[in-house]
Amino acid sequence: MSYEDEYEYKPSILSIIWSWIWSFIVAFIIVGGVYFFLGRPFTVSGASMYPTLHNGDRMVLSKVGDIHRFDVVVLQAPDQDKEYIKRVIGMPGDTIEIKEGKLYINGQVVEQPFINKEILVNKTVYIDDFTLEGLTGETTVPEGKYFVMGDNRGVSRDSRLIG
């Protein structure tokens, strides 16, 4: 028997178990940090973002970066324990208006290639004209707030209804 064979290190079963436990703890902390601070998976429910997103679509929700006009965002529904997915239309300080199906932001017509045009062309759903002031009493989108709408305007529960 050689010297190396006599003193070969063999970890105990307890040290192996502790090694696995610490590996799981570190992995759990990393996954939890990513989930709470960077992003998380999200599944689309409903048709309010059709044709951009469909019921059952899966996506990763990013929690980093700034919000820009026309970004798709997830927000907490104010009257339910649900989340809504919508498109940012109005930024703080913007005026918002819909006239004859056209979106006006700060008095300028804005193209909306992402909306469900079928409802506008076929008039299958009537979308009321509105102004931000008529809906909310505010002339502009307040600081720290955003005006959001679904791409499928006829069925979307968005800032026109929930503020």
Side-chain angles (χ1 to χ4, degrees):
M1 188 183 242
S2 72
Y3 178 77
E4 288 87 20
D5 291 337
E6 189 175 328
Y7 292 101
E8 186 177 317
Y9 173 73
K10 294 191 182 195
S12 70
I13 191 75
L14 188 59
S15 68
I16 293 172
I17 291 171
W18 275 112
S19 172
W20 276 99
I21 289 172
W22 277 111
S23 297
F24 282 118
I25 289 171
V26 169
F28 181 75
I29 290 170
I30 290 170
V31 169
V34 167
Y35 183 87
F36 287 109
F37 298 110
L38 298 178
R40 66 180 175 87
F42 183 83
T43 302
V44 176
S45 176
S48 73
M49 287 299 292
Y50 177 83
T52 306
L53 300 170
H54 299 84
N55 189 39
D57 282 355
R58 293 185 179 148
M59 53 194 297
V60 175
L61 165 70
S62 172
K63 296 182 180 185
V64 295
D66 295 329
I67 297 174
H68 300 98
R69 185 181 324 282
F70 303 131
D71 281 353
V72 174
V73 296
V74 175
L75 54 120
Q76 188 66 41
D79 56 346
Q80 300 175 19
D81 195 22
K82 291 172 49 175
E83 293 175 312
Y84 289 164
I85 184 164
K86 304 295 174 200
R87 186 175 302 278
V88 175
I89 300 297
M91 303 292 288
D94 285 346
T95 61
I96 307 293
E97 182 177 13
I98 295 265
K99 282 195 283 192
E100 299 175 6
K102 294 184 176 137
L103 173 64
Y104 291 81
I105 299 176
N106 300 323
Q108 302 292 319
V109 176
V110 176
E111 287 298 314
Q112 304 174 81
F114 41 77
I115 69 166
N116 185 359
K117 290 187 178 15
E118 175 185 319
I119 64 173
L120 296 176
V121 172
N122 297 332
K123 300 290 184 198
T124 56
V125 175
Y126 182 73
I127 300 172
D128 290 330
D129 290 349
F130 70 86
T131 64
L132 181 66
E133 187 172 13
L135 289 177
T136 66
E138 301 277 350
T139 55
T140 62
V141 177
E143 282 302 313
K145 308 269 181 178
Y146 299 91
F147 190 87
V148 297
M149 295 175 76
D151 292 353
N152 195 1
R153 303 279 163 81
V155 300
S156 180
R157 188 171 163 83
D158 51 38
S159 288
R160 296 171 293 166
L161 300 171
I162 61 174

